[in-house]
Amino acid sequence: MEKRLRLLYALQQVDLQLDELHEMKGDLPGIVDGLRQHVKEKLDQKATLERTAQESTIRRDATDTDIVTLREKIERYKGQQFEVKTNKQYDTLAREIDAAQESVAKLTRDLEALENRTAVARDDAAKLAPEIEQLQAELAERQTELDAVNKEHEEEELRHRHERQKLVARIHKDDLKMYERIRKAKDGKAVVAIKRNACGGCYNKVPPQKALELRRNDIFMMCERCGRLLVSDEVTDGALEL
């Protein structure tokens, strides 16, 4: 049991060092991720607008072709009206002309709507371009800052992560689950030592009898107030070979 306690305490110390390195980066990681996501959203929005403009242009050209075809048909029907010999044939052609003219009117309205849609989409896409350029410049600047901080502490962080991997490989799975659960709930600090007969996390007093039990290093003892895992001086002072 004492070894299990030592391993968890050692893991806690490594995690605290990693947390400290993360804090040195400040808000930069979050800012970079936020900017990267913002740039992606704006690029997707611009691509959608450009696709809308392209599709509207294709439909506009097809509609324009249909209008030309219908107008040619109307002229042909009008010419045929002078050649027919019966009123019935004339009326049939007149109905065809009326139907074609109605279609031309509808297609003309559609053509205007498509032209307007194309113009709006292109204008909105163009307005996004400088905004995207500004965001990309800010992202590049912030990324450079973050890369500099990462490079400064890269070796130290890699060393701590390597230590963590070796510790995790030796810790019981149930112990690790317990540790991770408490660490998540208690702002990164799951394992604490008793200091002056008090919990090192919340400073709640530990009864003398419990402090004596703790020093046997043969049980998992949680703080009655904060729920963190308590360890004795023997555990915190003892060296643990990795």
Side-chain angles (χ1 to χ4, degrees):
M1 176 58 74
E2 182 174 345
K3 182 179 178 181
R4 293 165 66 181
L5 291 167
R6 289 180 183 276
L7 285 168
L8 288 173
Y9 181 74
L11 179 61
Q12 176 68 85
Q13 299 312 298
V14 171
D15 279 341
L16 288 175
Q17 289 170 321
L18 286 170
D19 290 345
E20 185 177 344
L21 289 175
H22 183 73
E23 288 176 5
M24 289 180 182
K25 300 175 186 179
D27 297 330
L28 275 176
I31 291 173
V32 168
D33 288 342
L35 284 169
R36 188 178 290 115
Q37 181 62 30
H38 200 183
V39 168
K40 181 181 181 303
E41 290 172 358
K42 291 297 180 181
L43 286 172
D44 289 345
Q45 186 179 350
K46 185 171 181 287
T48 299
L49 289 168
E50 290 172 342
R51 187 163 54 250
T52 296
Q54 184 179 19
E55 291 171 354
S56 297
T57 298
I58 293 172
R59 289 177 58 191
R60 182 201 62 190
D61 292 344
T63 300
D64 189 48
T65 300
D66 290 342
I67 289 173
V68 171
T69 301
L70 282 169
R71 283 175 174 165
E72 290 174 350
K73 188 181 291 186
I74 290 170
E75 292 303 315
R76 188 167 64 251
Y77 287 156
K78 286 181 177 179
Q80 291 174 0
Q81 281 182 317
F82 293 104
E83 301 173 359
V84 297
K85 298 179 180 179
T86 66
N87 288 336
K88 183 177 181 180
Q89 290 176 324
Y90 186 90
D91 290 342
T92 298
L93 286 171
R95 286 194 295 271
E96 292 290 343
I97 291 171
D98 288 342
Q101 287 177 334
E102 288 180 5
S103 295
V104 168
K106 179 181 180 304
L107 289 173
T108 300
R109 291 193 296 272
D110 292 344
L111 183 66
E112 292 174 355
L114 287 168
E115 288 177 341
N116 183 63
R117 187 180 183 186
T118 300
V120 170
R122 284 177 175 168
D123 186 53
D124 288 346
K127 289 177 180 177
L128 281 174
E131 184 178 351
I132 291 172
E133 185 177 350
Q134 182 178 351
L135 284 170
Q136 288 175 327
E138 185 177 356
L139 173 59
E141 181 181 351
R142 293 294 191 171
Q143 185 65 62
T144 299
E145 292 177 18
L146 181 58
D147 290 343
V149 175
N150 286 336
K151 186 175 180 60
E152 182 180 355
H153 302 285
E154 184 177 11
E155 291 185 8
E156 185 179 359
E157 185 171 354
L158 286 174
R159 185 175 71 254
H160 290 322
R161 292 198 179 281
H162 183 57
E163 291 174 0
R164 193 181 199 281
Q165 289 174 352
K166 290 194 293 183
L167 285 167
V168 167
R170 297 171 61 185
I171 295 174
H172 292 212
K173 289 183 179 180
D174 290 341
D175 294 355
L176 185 60
K177 287 180 181 179
M178 172 189 67
Y179 168 82
E180 296 291 2
R181 184 182 69 252
I182 300 173
R183 176 171 157 78
K184 182 177 180 181
K186 297 300 175 181
D187 197 27
K189 190 175 289 188
V191 184
V192 295
I194 288 184
K195 298 179 179 178
R196 299 183 183 89
N197 293 322
C199 169
C202 68
Y203 309 109
N204 184 49
K205 284 293 183 181
V206 177
Q209 182 60 36
K210 285 190 173 293
L212 287 173
E213 293 176 12
L214 182 69
R215 289 190 175 89
R216 292 203 297 266
N217 303 319
D218 58 1
I219 58 171
F220 282 142
M221 182 180 293
M222 308 300 178
C223 173
E224 294 178 353
R225 175 179 291 177
C226 70
R228 292 183 174 90
L229 178 63
L230 300 173
V231 293
S232 67
D233 293 340
E234 288 82 357
V235 169
T236 61
D237 294 340
L240 178 66
E241 292 186 4
L242 301 181

